[in-house]
Amino acid sequence: MAIVTLTIDGIQFSAKDDESILEIAKQNGIRIPTLCHLDGLSDVGACRLCLVEIEGWNKLMPACTTFPIEGMVIHTQTEKLKKYRRMIIELLASEGNHQCAVCVVNNHCELQDLAYEVGLQYVRFPYLYPKKHVDATHPKFIMDHNKCVLCTRCVRVCHEVEGAHTWDIANRGINCEIISDLNQSWGSSPSCTSCGKCVLVCPTGALIEKGETIAEMEKKRDFLKYIVTARQKREWILNMSDEE
Amino acid sequence: MKLKVATAWLGGCSGCHMSFLDLDERLIELADKIELVHSPFADIKSFPENVDFTLVEGAITNNENIEMAHIIRKRSKFVISFGDCAVTGNVTALRNFFSPEEVITRSYIELSSNKNKTPNDYSNLAQLIPTARPLHEFIKVDAFLHGCPPTADQIWFAISELLEGRLPEFQNIFLRYG
Ligand code: SF4
Ligand code: SF4
Ligand code: SF4
Ligand code: FES
């Protein structure tokens, strides 16, 4: 680890070079929109909402998976970036089936919040209205593919935190979807422990608890930080020595 | 001079119009400022010429809606998508999982109380298009009023802006889906 100096939106910062641009921005009060990122999970750069412009680089880079180098000059709020962020939300809206008015997470949805953040007035692309399925075979939870934005948070939390690796990604492009185990119904999954972590981290109404009705479900997406901090700091050992 | 204002009801549940009535006492103020030239609230059959602005509720879901949308566009200075169904398809678009034939059979035959009767001939009625779709996919829309339904405050903001000759831009508290 080394300390580097970089500029974000015209302000100079020193930062550790093993922290992503997203983390550095966040620590300094600069808001970059994100969707697939969640504190406590690894970053995969899947949603591209956190794209930033770096002077001298010919590509836009995702802030969550890009690390600083000495002298980097970064812009997070250019017109070009705003245009792309809005386009990403438009594409996500047009390739799923989002009827917020009758959705379980209405008003508690990260996709909705992002639509407001990018000022989405309407979607310029033709809606695809794809015929996607709903898997209600699990005794406690439902997977509604119509609302899935393929952020892969569920895949990562199940693998990295729960250690079950029930979820995975199948197919490519517009046919890409989340599957459980060997592409079988969630209810028949031998690996799922029914811990519910994937349901809590899902940013949308794709993973929900059974028995919730419209606008009823509010997720506690930050519960992860307790588990992850506890694991990193081995808090149970501290607690044990306290008791001695 | 009073502005000529219209509202139209396409593929929606009329909830947006009900929310319009929630303007309550503001309706009296509005009555002094506008002339309502066409609306489900007013019994006027044809859509007049030279309308200053029209609020359109509902998705485009049948051939009659398409025809009406073009008439509205031709005769209105500003067209506003009024509510989520007009903006995204929303609840009206839930039927897009099924073919028009399945939808008609389900709602008019399977769920009808006199199942044993041969269904009437529906061919003279408006015909469903394959999918219900947002208004702006058919005509140019000048502003978008979101919500299912939009709240009275959102509607009031939109109308106040339009009365001042401005197109409403929905941001912050006035931009909300669902
Ligand atoms: S998941 Fe979010 S954006 Fe999609 S319908 Fe539900 S509330 Fe709306
Ligand atoms: S409930 Fe737990 S074990 Fe089952 S899929 Fe979700 S995260 Fe994995
Ligand atoms: S189910 Fe939810 S958490 Fe999993 S990829 Fe889809 S949107 Fe993301
Ligand atoms: S948050 Fe960085 S790509 Fe999704």
Side-chain angles (χ1 to χ4, degrees), chain A residues 116 120-121 123 127 129 131, chain B residues 88 97 133 136 146 170 177:
Chain A
Y116 304 151
L120 186 73
Q121 301 292 326
V123 172
Y127 282 83
Y129 301 117
K131 294 193 167 62
Chain B
T88 73
F97 288 111
R133 315 195 64 87
H136 67 260
H146 315 87
F170 296 94
Y177 290 88

Side-chain angles (χ1 to χ4, degrees), chain A residues 35-36 98 142-145 147-157 167-169 177-178 197-208 219:
Chain A
L35 180 59
C36 65
H98 296 277
I142 295 174
M143 166 55 142
D144 180 354
H145 291 271
K147 314 272 187 258
C148 175
V149 292
L150 298 168
C151 68
T152 73
R153 282 187 192 176
C154 54
V155 178
R156 284 173 283 149
V157 79
W167 297 116
D168 225 314
I169 311 153
E177 61 172 346
I178 301 293
K197 292 188 177 70
C198 54
V199 177
L200 285 176
V201 299
C202 175
T204 69
L207 286 167
I208 51 178
K219 300 185 178 186

Side-chain angles (χ1 to χ4, degrees), chain A residues 49 51 76-77 81-89:
Chain A
L49 267 161
L51 286 179
T76 71
Q77 299 298 337
L81 292 170
K82 286 184 187 164
K83 199 179 92 191
Y84 278 113
R85 285 175 190 151
R86 186 186 141 170
M87 202 186 292
I88 292 166
I89 300 299

Side-chain angles (χ1 to χ4, degrees), chain A:
Chain A
M1 193 265 292
I3 298 289
V4 292
T5 313
L6 73 165
T7 309
I8 307 181
D9 295 340
I11 306 169
Q12 274 208 345
F13 299 106
S14 338
K16 298 183 204 149
D17 70 352
D18 62 353
E19 283 178 332
S20 71
I21 292 172
L22 179 66
E23 280 171 272
I24 298 166
K26 211 185 259 180
Q27 284 158 16
N28 292 288
I30 298 169
R31 159 85 187 157
I32 300 175
T34 57
L35 180 59
C36 65
H37 168 85
L38 187 70
D39 285 345
L41 296 180
S42 64
D43 280 308
V44 287
C47 73
R48 317 310 270 185
L49 267 161
C50 68
L51 286 179
V52 293
E53 279 191 67
I54 303 174
E55 283 183 19
W57 294 37
N58 58 10
K59 281 198 298 187
L60 300 176
M61 300 302 289
C64 66
T65 54
T66 307
F67 293 84
I69 49 177
E70 182 57 38
M72 230 181 206
V73 181
I74 299 160
H75 301 277
T76 71
Q77 299 298 337
T78 64
E79 283 313 308
K80 184 176 176 182
L81 292 170
K82 286 184 187 164
K83 199 179 92 191
Y84 278 113
R85 285 175 190 151
R86 186 186 141 170
M87 202 186 292
I88 292 166
I89 300 299
E90 284 177 272
L91 288 167
L92 290 175
S94 68
E95 68 184 35
N97 291 301
H98 296 277
Q99 286 88 10
C100 302
V102 289
C103 180
V104 174
V105 300
N106 189 15
N107 300 331
H108 314 292
C109 171
E110 290 183 44
L111 182 59
Q112 257 181 342
D113 292 344
L114 285 164
Y116 304 151
E117 187 173 346
V118 302
L120 186 73
Q121 301 292 326
Y122 72 106
V123 172
R124 291 165 297 171
F125 309 115
Y127 282 83
L128 298 179
Y129 301 117
K131 294 193 167 62
K132 301 212 173 178
H133 65 283
V134 177
D135 183 346
T137 56
H138 192 284
K140 282 162 76 180
F141 313 121
I142 295 174
M143 166 55 142
D144 180 354
H145 291 271
N146 294 289
K147 314 272 187 258
C148 175
V149 292
L150 298 168
C151 68
T152 73
R153 282 187 192 176
C154 54
V155 178
R156 284 173 283 149
V157 79
C158 189
H159 174 74
E160 295 169 12
V161 183
E162 179 60 9
H165 201 129
T166 301
W167 297 116
D168 225 314
I169 311 153
N171 307 325
R172 297 179 69 87
I174 198 75
N175 299 317
C176 186
E177 61 172 346
I178 301 293
I179 55 167
S180 36
D181 285 330
L182 298 170
N183 201 5
Q184 63 205 80
S185 67
W186 192 4
S188 71
S189 155
S191 67
C192 174
T193 63
S194 302
C195 71
K197 292 188 177 70
C198 54
V199 177
L200 285 176
V201 299
C202 175
T204 69
L207 286 167
I208 51 178
E209 273 168 31
K210 280 194 172 167
E212 301 268 356
T213 67
I214 294 166
E216 211 178 62
M217 187 165 178
E218 202 168 344
K219 300 185 178 186
K220 295 183 188 62
R221 298 188 180 98
D222 56 357
F223 78 99
L224 256 195
K225 72 172 180 250
Y226 302 112
I227 301 182
V228 173
T229 320
R231 193 161 67 176
Q232 277 164 359
K233 298 199 177 145
R234 300 167 70 83
E235 281 174 351
W236 60 93
I237 294 178
L238 291 176
N239 290 343
M240 267 155 50
S241 54
D242 279 354
E243 277 162 25
E244 273 164 21

Side-chain angles (χ1 to χ4, degrees), chain B residues 4-8 17 35-39 47-48 51-56 76:
Chain B
K4 287 187 175 167
V5 176
T7 74
H17 275 85
E35 185 190 344
L36 193 64
V37 292
H38 181 91
S39 171
F47 196 90
V51 178
D52 287 295
F53 63 87
T54 305
L55 304 181
V56 184
S76 321

